[in-house]
Amino acid sequence: GAGVSQTPSNKVTEKGKYVELRCDPISGHTALYWYRQSLGQGPEFLIYFQGTGAADDSGLPNDRFFAVRPEGSVSTLKIQRTERGDSAVYLCASSSTTGALGDTQYFGPGTRLTVL
Amino acid sequence: SQKIEQNSEALNIQEGKTATLTCNYTNYSPAYLQWYRQDPGRGPVFLLLIRENEKEKRKERLKVTFDTTLKQSLFHITASQPADSATYLCALDMMDSSYKLIFGSGTRLLVRP
């Protein structure tokens, strides 16, 4: 595709439910990132994939959060037992080739998650 | 502690003037510093990158400076236009294994016609 796409654009769920957020990166981009952005704040790093493997998951806040990228393209961020504090915009970004230092990261429009 | 600070108050300027946005950081040693633009409901869009050994970078009406001694970057938009109104985020590009970006909270720019 032309850019990074994310689905759904909006997700409303109840506390305690499970949600999945999907990211389709730019075709051919090997590096994929998930960030979380709360209102009035900048994006906060969650996890980085290089190909199929999670090379850095140090930003995941706790074990309720998990992400996969089984074929090295599409990624899914999974949140179990959602809490109201999980409400935020979840952004996905991809970058080309090796995702090396200084590579431009291209962001998707985000998924706005609201936990009631 | 590690911090990235951008003016939390909106910058309100007249069309045609130069907008200057500030990004200060403490206890980081970034290899690069990047500036992004974010419009409401959208993801950030890359604007400029400057390396630690560069003092200044320009692209059309945009100029970025990077002072690693002061730990500060300034972002300038000359001849500003109402279409420049957006939130501008600075991001540190760390020389670590994941190349993740560490963002400031952004400054909202409003350009009045």
Side-chain angles (χ1 to χ4, degrees):
Chain A
V4 178
S5 62
Q6 293 185 245
T7 54
S9 55
N10 277 285
K11 176 71 177 178
V12 180
T13 191
E14 293 180 344
K15 181 175 178 295
K17 298 290 188 183
Y18 167 83
V19 296
E20 290 189 351
L21 312 179
R22 176 187 168 108
C23 172
D24 276 274
I26 292 172
S27 178
H29 279 191
T30 60
L32 185 147
Y33 301 80
W34 284 98
Y35 293 84
R36 177 168 73 173
Q37 187 173 25
S38 300
L39 193 63
Q41 301 297 313
E44 178 186 9
F45 170 77
L46 296 177
I47 187 168
Y48 158 65
F49 286 90
Q50 183 56 257
T52 60
D56 183 353
D57 64 358
S58 62
L60 294 178
N62 52 59
D63 61 6
R64 295 186 297 105
F65 288 74
F66 188 71
V68 295
R69 195 185 184 200
E71 297 177 359
S73 54
V74 171
S75 176
T76 305
L77 179 66
K78 308 180 182 199
I79 310 174
Q80 299 177 320
R81 304 183 305 280
T82 52
E83 299 178 356
R84 291 194 181 88
D86 299 334
S87 297
V89 174
Y90 289 81
L91 293 164
C92 175
S94 69
S95 66
S96 63
T97 60
T98 60
L101 189 65
D103 269 1
T104 298
Q105 292 188 22
Y106 296 87
F107 283 81
T111 294
R112 180 175 297 279
L113 175 66
T114 303
V115 182
L116 301 177
Chain B
S1 64
Q2 295 175 314
K3 284 192 300 187
I4 305 173
E5 293 180 318
Q6 295 185 254
N7 279 355
S8 57
E9 289 185 19
L11 178 63
N12 196 325
I13 64 169
Q14 184 73 44
E15 181 178 9
K17 301 292 187 185
T18 295
T20 298
L21 307 175
T22 305
C23 176
N24 295 293
Y25 59 93
T26 55
N27 293 324
Y28 284 112
S29 297
Y32 298 162
L33 190 146
Q34 303 191 24
W35 283 89
Y36 283 77
R37 169 184 173 141
Q38 188 171 27
D39 292 284
R42 304 210 161 192
V45 174
F46 171 77
L47 295 174
L48 276 173
L49 174 153
I50 187 165
R51 293 171 175 76
E52 61 179 337
N53 60 353
E54 295 177 318
K55 296 292 186 189
E56 183 178 298
K57 200 82 166 280
R58 291 175 185 260
K59 179 183 175 183
E60 298 173 351
R61 294 185 297 112
L62 308 181
K63 184 178 87 170
V64 172
T65 63
F66 192 13
D67 188 325
T68 54
T69 302
L70 290 179
K71 296 188 183 293
Q72 180 181 78
S73 176
L74 299 178
F75 176 79
H76 307 271
I77 306 175
T78 58
S80 60
Q81 304 166 1
D84 295 326
S85 298
T87 295
Y88 291 86
L89 299 157
C90 71
L92 306 184
D93 201 340
M94 306 304 293
M95 193 181 290
D96 63 16
S97 60
S98 70
Y99 316 115
K100 61 180 175 282
L101 295 175
I102 302 174
F103 283 88
S105 56
T107 298
R108 195 155 63 99
L109 172 66
L110 300 171
V111 181
R112 302 188 309 274

